[in-house]
Amino acid sequence: MRFNIRITVSLKEGMLDPEARAIQGALKNLGFETTALSTSRLFHISLEALDREQAETLGLQMCERLLANPIIHRYSVEVLQ
Amino acid sequence: MRFNIRITVSLKEGMLDPEARAIQGALKNLGFETTALSTSRLFHISLEALDREQAETLGLQMCERLLANPIIHRYSVEVLQ
């Protein structure tokens, strides 16, 4: 059965995020004041699995093996259908 | 008043996404078969605005001016609070 999952990968709280600071600075130069800015990556994945549980487990394994660095990232998996 | 907005930036349908293909290939090499994979960027932004409408408008302007390339990206802004 085909499932669509959505994986979100973000930096853990407290990790320095120079890219986000650069974006915040560039927005400021354009006249946009922001009080906080952080970024995440989203992965939309379609895969075959027996049930929702297996789809979620596969997503978590993908994070652990490739998509995230567990030292610096937090990640979550949502099974959409 | 402070608002939190979430901006999602993705490639438009039909745009080539070599990064997504590379990730899909790497997952396959690790034994994870996927039938589709695409990526998006999320920006979590806190800003001052008079009301929700202004917060959304500011988010859209940020996309147009900096965060997205309207030729190749689609983007959406959600006002969270």
Side-chain angles (χ1 to χ4, degrees):
Chain A
M1 199 174 156
R2 181 172 299 188
F3 289 91
N4 294 317
I5 64 175
R6 180 165 55 194
I7 295 176
T8 309
V9 178
S10 318
L11 282 173
K12 284 182 180 169
E13 291 293 325
M15 297 299 300
L16 288 181
D17 187 349
E19 190 193 5
R21 294 295 76 71
I23 294 168
Q24 214 173 357
L27 285 173
K28 190 173 181 173
N29 290 340
L30 291 169
F32 298 106
E33 288 288 343
T34 56
T35 49
L37 189 151
S38 65
T39 66
S40 308
R41 298 208 57 190
L42 272 186
F43 300 92
H44 311 270
I45 298 176
S46 302
L47 46 75
E48 292 289 328
L50 295 174
D51 52 27
R52 294 176 67 86
E53 237 173 50
Q54 196 196 12
E56 186 178 356
T57 303
L58 284 168
L60 289 171
Q61 289 174 346
M62 289 177 191
C63 290
E64 288 156 16
R65 300 282 306 276
L66 184 77
L67 303 178
N69 173 348
I71 310 291
I72 61 169
H73 291 133
R74 55 194 159 82
Y75 49 85
S76 60
V77 177
E78 290 163 86
V79 181
L80 302 180
Q81 76 185 35
Chain B
M1 199 174 157
R2 181 173 299 189
F3 289 91
N4 293 317
I5 64 175
R6 180 165 54 195
I7 294 175
T8 309
V9 178
S10 317
L11 281 173
K12 284 183 180 168
E13 290 294 325
M15 297 299 301
L16 288 181
D17 187 351
E19 189 193 8
R21 296 294 75 70
I23 294 168
Q24 214 173 357
L27 285 172
K28 189 173 182 174
N29 290 340
L30 292 170
F32 298 107
E33 288 288 344
T34 55
T35 50
L37 189 150
S38 64
T39 65
S40 308
R41 298 207 59 189
L42 272 186
F43 300 91
H44 311 271
I45 298 176
S46 302
L47 46 75
E48 292 290 327
L50 295 174
D51 52 28
R52 294 175 68 87
E53 236 173 53
Q54 196 196 13
E56 187 179 355
T57 302
L58 283 168
L60 289 170
Q61 289 174 344
M62 289 176 192
C63 290
E64 289 156 16
R65 301 282 307 275
L66 184 77
L67 302 178
N69 173 348
I71 309 291
I72 60 170
H73 291 133
R74 55 194 159 83
Y75 50 84
S76 61
V77 177
E78 290 163 87
V79 181
L80 303 180
Q81 78 185 35

